[in-house]
């Protein structure tokens, strides 16, 4: 994105964006991809003006796809030469240098896809959609339907058939295998910022972008008495702010209450 946007043949500007890593699908299968939220323009090379993108498209997706493919394959080749790749099972033959090089050549015979579109519901809708993935695991409790001695049954949406709700039952081992695929390595951030939104540059360049666009910076007003009742509640033990992890429906609350067991000490 940074390289193609900086090319004068396309946008000719320095852009800023955030990327969110998402690794799972509805059935917990491994499906790594990145959602990027990109403003529709960037700073000119001299940082003196704002360069807006075309009204029809941001950057040519075919060019993005080819550049992405080239960089991805180059990264694989570099990781192989530095002995950072492991090959197991059916992939073991690729540990040989000639076999791996032949495999990389096949990747250039396929079209890679970078999908770009305008936000249908506006920027706020996009951020709300992506916020579901930033601090959650691969499956939430409300999708779990039953757990017995040998299997786990959960609900999933079949997006290929108009988001129809279906059920899937997996053995314990298979359910855990799918789940742990999405536990990120320690120290790997799920959200990253790039360009003029990068952490080391945002303080200086974000106000500049607002000034060039004539945008008013957001203000954090103090809560008024009318809003104090809806403020974030405090923990009764430590006094810290409590964070909403999940909202339960009335049916789920009743179900949880029935599961609770009260012990009375009669001594």
């Amino acid at each position: 994105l940074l390289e193609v946007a900086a090319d004068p043949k396309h946008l000719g500007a320095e852009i800023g964006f955030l990327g969110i890593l998402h690794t799972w699908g509805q059935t917990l299968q491994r499906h790594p991809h990145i959602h990027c939220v990109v403003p529709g323009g960037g700073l000119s090379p001299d940082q003196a003006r704002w360069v807006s993108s075309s009204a029809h498209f941001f950057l040519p997706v075919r060019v993005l796809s080819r550049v992405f493919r080239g960089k991805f394959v180059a990264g694989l080749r570099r990781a192989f030469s530095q002995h950072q790749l492991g090959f197991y099972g059916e992939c073991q033959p690729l540990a040989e240098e000639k076999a791996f090089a032949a495999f990389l050549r096949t990747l250039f015979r396929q079209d890679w896809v970078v999908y770009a579109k305008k936000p249908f519901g506006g920027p706020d809708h996009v951020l709300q959609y992506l916020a579901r993935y930033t601090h959650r695991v691969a499956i939430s409790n409300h999708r779990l339907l039953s757990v017995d001695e040998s299997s786990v049954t959960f609900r999933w949406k079949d997006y290929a058939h108009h988001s129809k709700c279906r059920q899937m039952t997996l053995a314990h081992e298979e359910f855990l295998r799918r789940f742990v695929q999405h536990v990120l390595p320690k120290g790997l951030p799920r959200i990253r910022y790039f360009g003029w939104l990068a952490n080391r540059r945002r303080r200086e360049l974000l106000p500049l972008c607002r000034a060039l666009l004539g945008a008013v910076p957001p203000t954090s007003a103090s809560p008024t008495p009318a809003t104090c009742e809806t403020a974030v509640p405090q923990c009764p033990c430590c006094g810290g702010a409590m964070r909403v992890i999940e909202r339960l429906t009335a049916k789920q609350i009743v179900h949880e209450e029935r599961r609770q067991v009260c012990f009375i000490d009669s001594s």
Side-chain angles (χ1 to χ4, degrees):
L1 282 168
L2 293 171
E3 184 176 310
V4 175
D7 191 333
K9 293 187 298 183
H10 302 300
L11 186 62
E14 178 188 1
I15 62 173
F17 64 96
L18 63 92
I20 301 177
L21 175 64
H22 188 198
T23 63
W24 63 83
Q26 280 282 304
T27 59
L28 304 186
Q29 294 284 24
R30 189 169 177 81
H31 178 51
H33 56 285
I34 299 173
H35 295 282
C36 295
V37 180
V38 192
L43 289 170
S44 61
D46 59 0
Q47 298 184 352
R49 59 190 178 89
W50 177 264
V51 180
S52 297
S53 61
S54 167
H56 302 289
F57 66 94
F58 179 62
L59 294 171
V61 291
R62 290 188 178 273
V63 176
L64 286 173
S65 300
R66 291 166 184 163
V67 173
F68 175 61
R69 180 179 60 187
K71 290 184 176 295
F72 197 98
V73 173
L76 286 176
R77 186 178 292 112
R78 182 171 57 252
F80 182 86
S81 64
Q82 296 174 356
H83 306 288
Q84 295 177 343
L85 298 179
F87 301 95
Y88 308 95
E90 297 179 357
C91 295
Q92 254 183 340
L94 294 178
E96 297 292 333
E97 185 174 357
K98 289 184 178 180
F100 188 75
F103 166 73
L104 292 185
R105 286 194 293 271
T106 66
L107 300 181
F108 285 97
R109 300 171 192 161
Q110 302 181 30
D111 290 331
W112 288 41
V113 178
V114 172
Y115 182 63
K117 66 179 181 181
K118 292 176 61 176
F120 292 136
D124 292 340
H125 177 76
V126 171
L127 293 176
Q128 290 175 7
Y129 170 78
L130 294 178
R132 304 173 192 168
Y133 307 115
T134 56
H135 295 87
R136 285 193 177 185
V137 292
I139 187 170
S140 53
N141 291 342
H142 75 274
R143 288 178 56 196
L144 299 176
L145 299 178
S146 66
V147 179
D148 56 31
E149 296 180 354
S150 61
S151 62
V152 179
T153 301
F154 60 93
R155 180 172 56 247
W156 65 285
K157 285 185 180 180
D158 187 356
Y159 291 122
H161 297 87
H162 309 289
S163 299
K164 186 175 181 179
C165 285
R166 302 184 186 275
Q167 296 183 14
M168 177 172 289
T169 300
L170 299 174
H172 289 168
E173 294 82 358
E174 175 61 16
F175 180 83
L176 290 175
R177 186 193 69 82
R178 295 190 186 190
F179 182 84
V180 297
Q181 289 183 110
H182 312 295
V183 178
L184 296 182
K186 185 177 181 180
L188 179 66
R190 190 185 298 274
I191 307 174
R192 294 188 180 184
Y193 300 86
F194 303 88
W196 49 260
L197 273 178
N199 294 334
R200 66 182 181 275
R201 309 181 66 200
R202 182 167 50 208
R203 180 175 296 181
E204 174 188 359
L205 294 182
L206 186 55
L208 174 61
C209 292
R210 290 196 178 110
L212 294 175
L213 287 167
V216 180
T219 57
S220 55
S222 301
T224 61
T227 61
C228 285
E229 295 180 357
T230 59
V232 177
Q234 292 183 337
C235 175
C237 297
C238 67
M242 299 179 68
R243 182 165 57 92
V244 176
I245 301 298
E246 187 173 358
R247 297 185 182 276
L248 300 178
T249 64
K251 183 178 180 180
Q252 289 173 322
I253 294 174
V254 172
H255 178 68
E256 289 297 323
E257 289 176 346
R258 289 176 179 174
R259 291 178 56 188
Q260 293 178 356
V261 179
C262 297
F263 295 92
I264 301 176
D265 187 0
S266 59
S267 59

